[in-house]
Structure formats: structure tokens, C-alpha cells
Amino acid sequence: MPTLAPEKKSTRSGRPAPELIFGDLWEFDPAPETANPKLKSRYDLFINGEFVAPKSGKYFDTINPANESKLAEIALGGAADVDAAYQAAQRAFNTTWGRMPGRERAKYLYRIARLLQDRAREFAVAETMDGGKPIKEARDFDVPMTAAHFFYHAGWADKLDYVAPGRRVAPLGVVGQVIPWNFPLLMCAWKLAPALAMGNCVVLKPAETTSITALKLAEIFQDAGLPPGVVNFVTGAGATGAAVMNHPIPAKIAFTGSTEVGKIILRSLAGTEKKMTLELGGKAANIVFDDAPIDQAVEGIVNGIFFNQGHVCCAGSRLLVHEPVADQVIAKLKQRIKVLRVGDPLDKNTDIGAINSQEQLAKITALVAIGVKEGAELFQPACRLPARGYYFRPTIFSGVSMSHRIAREEIFGPVLSILTFRTVDEAVEKANNTAYGLSAGVWTDKGSRILKMSTELKAGVVWANTYNKFDPTSPFGGYKESGFGREGGRQGLLDYCQLA
Ligand code: NAP
Ligand code: MG
């Protein structure tokens, strides 16, 4: 285990002066983003274009996982609120949005994207404070990608004849959507932009721990003059989500979250005529061959699993490494994670922020303990963690076999399980030997091998010599227990229309 430099006398910043040991973490002065995302102390439901109190009068707290402080109160929506939201959505569909020409709908989507760009910094800070992700990710990935999704789908709204050439497309009507906490704002865009471009109206429930940026997006909808009822946000917990999924009005439901809840939804909707898309969990393999550019692969592996604290459904949580280079890759990985900065997500230098909730931290901690008990070899850098808040060290397990739970179960945290392989066939077999099938990565110098692997891997996305690259034009979705349906691209639009 690496040792940190002993603390020395204080510097100008008041922090202990660092003593550099080669290969260990360089101390930077803190570089925090100002914590002023213009938060309200209380957020109501967004129904029919207005913020309204929940019928129960109940609210729950949303906290900052970086320091456990309360950020705001969020309305606890119940079945009556969900019903009011669906009635509003149905009215909007019948009277305005469903009848509006696509070129007019496009103008609203462009306006939303531009208004979001205007307030990008404020949204990034709010996302970081509510969810715990590093500000550099919220700023450079979540917010720009959200705007990109609205821009991209604005571009489609007047070209819907090309979604299914030779067929006529029509909106489905009203759609119900439930999203998770790992990309709160971006998931709103993935769900809302294609639905709106097609002419549907929406009721959406954000995740309990991360509702703030959806409600800030509602402010943008008001500023953009989006007709009332086109988008409605009902905040709350699992029961609110179940009410959104099981209401009789929506013609389609779209869910992103865990496979466990996906199965509950699937069972509860069996026999109904509702269309459905489910984007669920994953246990992706990042596969490194001996001819790969090793340093780039190490960066890709780190990005694949430690990006957003590993709170990524398509995280490269299993590393399959070719035996001839296994020792070299593992040694470089250990060296690399020693210099990852874990801590205050608002600090611009932070690589790994806070775990989203105490519950998720407990889940990660329990699975890591199981990995140790099962005999895998654990490596964690000895970085200092903040005294308050939910943090977990970047963690590597080597000597993992397919029977280990850490090789099979989604940990959804900064934990990498390393397995080795000898042949291409063995790599494919191990990668596909999972209940999931969302994504995979291949690192090799050979184009032919990339093509072979991407054909044989049962994963919705296969990245080659890169990882976690997203684009609104590119469809995303899973095989097997990772769900069905696609989000993004032309394929994503097909899931929000009926064809004639
Ligand atoms: P989760 O527990 O399944 O929750 C997802 C959403 O469903 C939340 O809004 C949740 O509300 C709500 N919910 C809970 N119980 C429900 C029920 N019975 N009926 C309807 N809605 C219900 O998942 P999570 O822990 O938030 O998110 C992590 C999971 O999402 C991981 O498995 C990850 O892989 C998956 N994910 C998949 C994708 C993808 O595109 N495939 C993308 C992101 C995340 P509460 O917040 O109140 O619990
Ligand atoms: Mg929160």
C-alpha cells in the first residue's frame, strides 16, 4: 500500500504543506467552484406549467452527499398528484402539443437547449451539489450533453418523415417516465427530448436523491414558454414511481434504473397494451489484448470505472486482460489510481467525488467485503477521505474468477474486478458470461479483431480503443437483463412513435 507524505506545517492556503514522494499524489491548493447554484429552500411539483404543492402537503429533504448538509425540501408526490399530472399531459396533447407542426415544436426544443447553455454553470453546480459527482464532469459532460440532446432532437422535429422512410409516424400520446440518480439532468434529456420531438407529452419522476436539476429544468421550460402540461415532473420515492408507471393514461412507459425494479414494472404491466422501454443495469467487460496501446488502455480503464464514482450503468466494471500483459496492466493501474483525487466534488481538481447516498455507500462497502471474503486480492490507495460525506476509495480486485459475486453483480461504485484470458474465444465467452448486456470495451491494435469482437459480444454498445463515449446520434440500450429499447439516434425516436 502506498504511504502518503507526512503532514507538514501549514501553507498560504492553511492546508498542510506537501512533501512529494515520487509516484504519490501531488498536493494542489483547493480550487472549489462557488457553491451558489441559486437553489430554492423548497421545490414543489411541476404540473400543468406551474409549481404546485403536493396534495398530501408532505416534503422530504434532499442532501448534499459530499457533506451531508440539507440542500432543499422536495415535494412528495402521491397518486392524486400523478393523476393531476397525467390529466394535464393529456389536455396538452389534445389541445396544443399533439397538434403542433414539428417545425414549431423544434423551436421550443432549440430554445430549451439555448437557455440551458446560458445557465450551464448554475446547472453544473446544482448537479454536483445534489448528486456528488465531480464538478468537472457535471460541467464538461452532463450539462453540455443535455443541451446536445435537446439540440439534436430539435433538428429531428421537422424531419420526422425520415425516421422511418416510407412509413408515416405519429406520436403515441402521453408517456410516463422514471429515471435514476446517476445522471439526473442528462437522463431527463434522454427521456424528454425524443418524446417531445415526436409530439408526445410527458409525466416524469426523477430519483428521490436527485430531483433538483429536473425542477430547475422546469424553470427553463417556463422561460421557454413551453405550453402547460407538455412536461410534468412529479417528485417522490418508489411508490410515486410505481404510480407513474401504473396509471391508465400513458400509452408508453420508459424506465431507467435497476434490473430489480425493471422486473417489477414488467410484471405489473404485463397484459396491458402499453409500449415499454427499459434501460437497466450492466456488468460490462473492458477487454485489453496484448497488442493494445497499454498506457491509453489504462486511461480508458480508469475512465471506464472511476468516471462518476462508477455510478454508470455501462461502467467497465470487469477488466478482462490478456495474460501476457496482465502484470504490466495491473501494475500501471495501481500506480494510476494512487494519484486519483478523491474528495470535494465542487473542487475542480477532484477526479472521484461523493457516493450518491449513504444507502449506495453501504451497498458498495458490503460487496467489497464479499470480494475480500471470496479470496480476491484487494488494492486501494491510502488517500485521505473527507471526514463528512459519503466517499469510497478507488478499488481494484485482482485474482477474480467468474464465480465471484464481484464478477457477476453490479456494484455501481468505483470498484474494478480483474480477470485474465488467453485466447480471443475465452475473452468473448467470459465477457458474455453475464446476465447483463449493456456495453463492452475492446483495446487492440487490430481492426479485424475489433470487428470480430463487436460482432460476438452481446452488448448494446461496444467501444473500441476508447470508453464511455456518448453522442445523441448514437443509440444506446441493452441486451438480456440490461433491458430493451434504444435511446438516442433515429432508433430512439422509433420508440416514441406509432407507425402507419
Ligand atoms: P432504482 O432503484 O431502480 O430506481 C430507479 C428509479 O425508479 C428511481 O426514480 C426510483 O425511485 C424508482 N423506483 C423505485 N421503485 C420503483 C417501483 N416499484 N416502481 C417504479 N419506480 C420505482 O435504480 P437506482 O438505484 O436509482 O439507479 C441505479 C440503477 O440504474 C443501476 O442498476 C443502473 O445500472 C441503472 N441505470 C441504467 C441505465 C441504462 O441506460 N441502462 C442508466 C442509468 C442507470 P427512488 O429514487 O425513490 O428510489
Ligand atoms: Mg441529493
Side-chain angles (χ1 to χ4, degrees), residues 284-294 297-298 301 316-333 396-400 402 416-424 426-428 430-431 441-443 449 453:
N286 214 346
I287 307 167
V288 178
F289 286 95
D290 59 357
D291 62 345
I294 298 294
V298 167
I301 296 160
S317 54
R318 289 182 298 157
L319 168 64
L320 303 190
V321 57
H322 209 172
E323 266 191 19
V325 291
D327 289 346
Q328 186 192 0
V329 170
I330 293 170
K332 281 183 182 254
L333 264 176
I396 290 178
F397 276 114
S398 47
V400 178
M402 283 308 299
L416 178 69
S417 300
I418 306 178
L419 299 94
T420 57
F421 68 87
R422 289 182 182 170
T423 64
V424 174
E426 188 187 348
V428 170
K430 281 188 168 162
V442 179
W443 297 82
R449 192 179 273 162
M453 296 295 288

Side-chain angles (χ1 to χ4, degrees), residues 77-95:
D81 302 302
V82 169
D83 186 57
Y86 273 121
Q87 302 295 345
Q90 186 72 69
R91 271 196 308 278
F93 180 75
N94 294 341
T95 58

Side-chain angles (χ1 to χ4, degrees), residues 432-454:
N432 286 341
N433 185 2
T434 163
Y436 298 109
L438 196 55
S439 58
V442 179
W443 297 82
T444 174
D445 195 35
K446 289 190 183 60
S448 57
R449 192 179 273 162
I450 291 171
L451 292 175
K452 178 182 163 68
M453 296 295 288
S454 55

Side-chain angles (χ1 to χ4, degrees), residues 60-61 63-65 68 131 181 205 207-210 236-238 258 260-261 311 354-368 389-392 410-414:
F60 61 92
D61 292 347
I63 63 152
N64 181 345
E68 301 169 54
W181 43 259
K205 189 199 92 73
E208 193 180 339
T209 55
T210 53
S258 61
E260 191 189 344
V261 174
H311 295 338
I355 300 299
N356 183 263
S357 65
Q358 194 165 24
E359 197 188 352
Q360 187 60 26
L361 179 61
K363 235 162 129 178
I364 298 168
T365 309
L367 269 160
V368 166
Y390 314 131
Y391 293 91
F392 201 84
E410 188 179 43
I411 301 174
F412 224 57

Side-chain angles (χ1 to χ4, degrees), residues 50-379:
E50 288 174 3
F51 288 98
V52 294
K55 292 197 164 52
S56 68
K58 289 187 187 151
Y59 292 79
F60 61 92
D61 292 347
T62 193
I63 63 152
N64 181 345
N67 55 24
E68 301 169 54
S69 66
K70 175 176 162 179
L71 287 175
E73 287 176 2
I74 307 286
L76 181 62
D81 302 302
V82 169
D83 186 57
Y86 273 121
Q87 302 295 345
Q90 186 72 69
R91 271 196 308 278
F93 180 75
N94 294 341
T95 58
T96 57
W97 201 249
R99 296 159 166 249
M100 196 182 279
R103 64 176 182 279
E104 295 301 317
R105 290 199 299 271
K107 292 178 190 169
Y108 289 98
L109 295 178
Y110 277 123
R111 218 174 282 159
I112 290 164
R114 289 203 195 101
L115 287 169
L116 180 64
Q117 286 182 323
D118 283 350
R119 293 171 62 179
R121 183 189 165 278
E122 176 196 339
F123 270 74
V125 174
E127 194 74 319
T128 285
M129 289 177 73
D130 202 17
K133 66 176 62 201
I135 185 69
K136 66 180 176 191
E137 281 174 17
R139 181 196 62 196
D140 300 344
F141 179 74
D142 296 63
V143 176
M145 278 300 279
T146 301
H149 270 266
F150 280 107
F151 275 127
Y152 173 71
H153 288 93
W156 266 115
D158 62 349
K159 303 174 193 69
L160 297 175
D161 289 344
Y162 299 94
V163 170
R167 313 277 303 268
R168 279 220 327 273
V169 296
L172 294 166
V174 175
V175 177
Q177 305 176 328
V178 172
I179 59 170
W181 43 259
N182 56 347
F183 292 94
L185 181 65
L186 184 58
M187 285 297 124
C188 280
W190 279 32
K191 292 271 176 290
L192 295 173
L196 299 185
M198 259 301 162
N200 302 287
C201 294
V202 179
V203 175
L204 184 149
K205 189 199 92 73
E208 193 180 339
T209 55
T210 53
S211 303
I212 287 180
T213 44
L215 297 162
K216 289 177 80 70
L217 193 59
E219 295 168 8
I220 282 187
F221 294 161
Q222 285 183 326
D223 292 347
L226 191 70
V230 172
V231 176
N232 306 272
F233 290 122
V234 185
T235 46
T240 319
V244 170
M245 296 284 97
N246 292 308
H247 195 279
I249 284 186
K252 176 206 162 98
I253 65 97
F255 172 80
T256 297
S258 61
T259 296
E260 191 189 344
V261 174
K263 285 180 179 173
I264 296 173
I265 292 169
L266 201 54
R267 273 195 293 273
S268 70
L269 294 185
T272 69
E273 296 202 334
K274 289 187 168 119
K275 278 184 100 155
M276 206 186 297
T277 45
L278 300 178
E279 304 284 351
L280 309 174
K283 191 75 190 176
N286 214 346
I287 307 167
V288 178
F289 286 95
D290 59 357
D291 62 345
I294 298 294
D295 287 339
Q296 285 174 40
V298 167
E299 282 309 303
I301 296 160
V302 167
N303 174 39
I305 184 62
F306 300 123
F307 171 55
N308 197 23
Q309 296 72 248
H311 295 338
V312 185
C313 48
C314 51
S317 54
R318 289 182 298 157
L319 168 64
L320 303 190
V321 57
H322 209 172
E323 266 191 19
V325 291
D327 289 346
Q328 186 192 0
V329 170
I330 293 170
K332 281 183 182 254
L333 264 176
K334 287 181 177 172
Q335 204 55 36
R336 182 68 182 88
I337 70 167
K338 277 194 221 170
V339 294
L340 289 176
R341 293 187 150 72
V342 187
D344 180 9
L346 272 183
D347 192 310
K348 298 181 200 86
N349 296 319
T350 293
D351 298 306
I352 299 185
I355 300 299
N356 183 263
S357 65
Q358 194 165 24
E359 197 188 352
Q360 187 60 26
L361 179 61
K363 235 162 129 178
I364 298 168
T365 309
L367 269 160
V368 166
I370 287 166
V372 172
K373 213 165 150 198
E374 285 177 324
E377 191 187 316
L378 172 113
F379 176 84

Side-chain angles (χ1 to χ4, degrees), residues 416-495:
L416 178 69
S417 300
I418 306 178
L419 299 94
T420 57
F421 68 87
R422 289 182 182 170
T423 64
V424 174
D425 289 344
E426 188 187 348
V428 170
E429 196 204 311
K430 281 188 168 162
N432 286 341
N433 185 2
T434 163
Y436 298 109
L438 196 55
S439 58
V442 179
W443 297 82
T444 174
D445 195 35
K446 289 190 183 60
S448 57
R449 192 179 273 162
I450 291 171
L451 292 175
K452 178 182 163 68
M453 296 295 288
S454 55
T455 311
E456 295 191 3
L457 290 169
K458 293 281 171 280
V461 183
V462 179
W463 284 292
N465 294 327
T466 186
Y467 206 88
N468 273 342
K469 281 272 181 281
F470 294 90
D471 191 287
T473 63
S474 176
F476 183 89
Y479 278 74
K480 302 192 279 186
E481 291 201 4
S482 291
F484 48 81
R486 293 293 178 263
E487 292 188 313
R490 191 179 64 81
Q491 290 81 353
L493 283 157
L494 282 169
D495 277 323

